[in-house]
Amino acid sequence: MKFRKLGKTGFNISEVSLGTWQLGSKWGEPFDEQDAIETLEAAYQSGVNYFDTADIYQNGLSEHAVGQFLKSHPEVHYSTKIGRRIEPHTVSNYTPDNLIAFVESSLNNMDVDSLDLVLLHCPPTAVYYDPTMFATLDELKAEGKIKNYGVSVERVEEAIKALQFDISAVEIIFNMFRLRPAENFFRLAQEHNVGILARVPLASGLLSGKYTAQTQFGKEDHRNFNRNGESFDKGETFSGVDYLTGIKAADELKQRLGTNDLAGMALRYILMYDAVSAVIPGASKPEQITQNAAAAKLSAFTAEQMQIVTDVYNKYIKNPVEYLW
């Protein structure tokens, strides 16, 4: 495993880290604490030293599991995200009191005195124009309750707007089907010494290359009920790519790249960008994180391979995805 600096945090984190949105369970299924601990341990044994969680993942159980893991592995780092517990999820409910309450809840849930990194969890765009939210985070940092803060975003414009505040990191969707962040934002983030965590790196599994037009997803799986943004931002599920179009694009990538391990190649592609601090694929089972971590050992892309990704993106994905997010 290789390590990269996470912006202003100064943390040296594994370039393949772990997103815990499905830790201990698949989407919509009961949480299995033992499975969660085994997955975290498998990640650690694979060289992973960074975990990304959120207060809403498994209703706080993911956060709790990471907190328990820290007790025996205090050298690892983590981020937790706050804000999506707000109901309704509107600008008016992003208040200093709510942010403070969320931070206190995460401190208690993870059983720590100070949180490594707190990210606002895809807040409405107008929140980035409200300096009181970021002033509140500055105060929490001054009090020692958080060490660093940043944002998890839906859109490139939100990420760029957030750079005017004292953020340490941005979590953003970036993958073979979502190339726009690399056009301008990556350079700006580097200029501001802001780390980048690449989320949804496999486009909700499309870039595993294992799905077909006949693939069925569980009733409670967001890939079943949120294909068109019925429950939350459409850009989250399959990175906003039309499912059947994504199947065609993934098949062409496999063929032109000459690989049966498209998932590994997709993760390695993201690491070709120096601005990226880490890619954070999820895993519900220990064997999945082991496979993900192995992507760090793959050979660097050639210029020809990089162009293949761009060609497939331009052919299938760019319009309309690039113009929406």
Side-chain angles (χ1 to χ4, degrees):
M1 183 64 70
K2 296 179 181 178
F3 299 83
R4 302 186 182 191
K5 192 81 71 177
L6 181 60
K8 297 172 189 172
T9 68
F11 302 155
N12 284 311
I13 66 171
S14 49
E15 58 184 15
V16 178
S17 291
L18 178 64
T20 67
W21 66 270
Q22 55 180 338
L23 182 70
S25 70
K26 294 182 179 179
W27 190 283
E29 295 184 0
F31 183 77
D32 186 324
E33 183 175 6
Q34 184 60 36
D35 190 55
I37 294 299
E38 289 176 2
T39 299
L40 291 170
E41 186 61 40
Y44 182 78
Q45 293 301 325
S46 297
V48 172
N49 75 337
Y50 188 83
F51 303 98
D52 175 72
T53 187
D55 57 4
I56 62 165
Y57 291 170
Q58 286 83 37
N59 197 29
L61 294 174
S62 174
E63 224 181 27
H64 179 74
V66 173
Q68 292 301 303
F69 189 76
L70 291 172
K71 294 184 183 305
S72 55
H73 303 85
E75 72 280 11
V76 304
H77 296 290
Y78 61 90
S79 50
T80 192
K81 300 186 288 294
I82 62 172
R84 291 307 291 266
R85 286 165 53 195
I86 291 173
E87 288 291 344
H89 192 235
T90 58
V91 175
S92 61
N93 283 323
Y94 271 81
T95 65
D97 285 347
N98 277 340
L99 289 192
I100 292 168
F102 292 149
V103 166
E104 293 289 355
S105 176
S106 292
L107 286 168
N108 290 332
N109 202 21
M110 299 190 74
D111 195 20
V112 295
D113 296 324
S114 182
L115 298 168
D116 273 1
L117 173 62
V118 169
L119 305 173
L120 296 184
H121 198 174
C122 299
T125 301
V127 169
Y128 299 93
Y129 291 81
D130 184 358
T132 61
M133 294 299 93
F134 296 91
T136 300
L137 292 168
D138 284 328
E139 292 171 4
L140 288 164
K141 186 176 177 181
E143 293 170 5
K145 292 185 176 180
I146 63 177
K147 297 183 178 76
N148 304 275
Y149 68 82
V151 292
S152 180
V153 302
E154 298 285 3
R155 292 171 170 79
V156 170
E157 286 75 14
E158 295 168 342
I160 293 173
K161 181 66 174 173
L163 291 175
Q164 68 183 319
F165 302 107
D166 189 27
I167 62 172
S168 296
V170 170
E171 194 172 288
I172 190 168
I173 296 176
F174 179 64
N175 57 48
M176 287 176 166
F177 288 170
R178 185 74 74 84
L179 300 186
R180 188 177 171 220
E183 293 177 6
N184 187 33
F185 170 64
F186 281 8
R187 173 182 58 81
L188 294 173
Q190 286 182 307
E191 291 174 359
H192 287 78
N193 191 24
V194 168
I196 294 173
L197 299 167
R199 68 189 187 93
V200 197
L202 299 180
S204 304
L206 274 178
L207 286 167
S208 70
K210 298 178 180 179
Y211 296 166
T212 69
Q214 290 72 42
T215 300
Q216 297 292 316
F217 300 100
K219 181 181 178 181
E220 299 301 321
D221 192 314
H222 70 110
R223 293 171 293 187
N224 176 49
F225 67 74
N226 193 60
R227 289 196 184 196
N228 298 299
E230 295 91 338
S231 297
F232 47 84
D233 194 283
K234 181 182 176 181
E236 294 278 345
T237 302
F238 302 125
S239 294
V241 176
D242 171 73
Y243 180 74
L244 294 180
T245 301
I247 294 296
K248 293 177 184 178
D251 286 345
E252 185 163 325
L253 283 170
K254 282 198 300 183
Q255 185 270 322
R256 293 185 63 183
L257 291 172
T259 183
N260 289 318
D261 180 23
L262 184 59
M265 292 284 282
L267 297 178
R268 185 65 184 88
Y269 172 82
I270 293 170
L271 296 175
M272 291 297 295
Y273 293 83
D274 293 339
V276 173
S277 302
V279 58
I280 50 172
S284 60
K285 297 291 183 182
E287 55 268 25
Q288 292 173 334
I289 185 57
T290 304
Q291 294 168 359
N292 291 340
K297 301 176 183 178
L298 296 178
S299 299
F301 272 53
T302 64
E304 180 182 3
Q305 289 173 318
M306 294 293 286
Q307 188 59 49
I308 287 171
V309 176
T310 301
D311 290 346
V312 172
Y313 173 79
N314 289 340
K315 178 179 178 180
Y316 293 100
I317 308 298
K318 184 174 182 178
N319 186 15
V321 168
E322 181 161 308
Y323 309 108
L324 295 175
W325 293 281

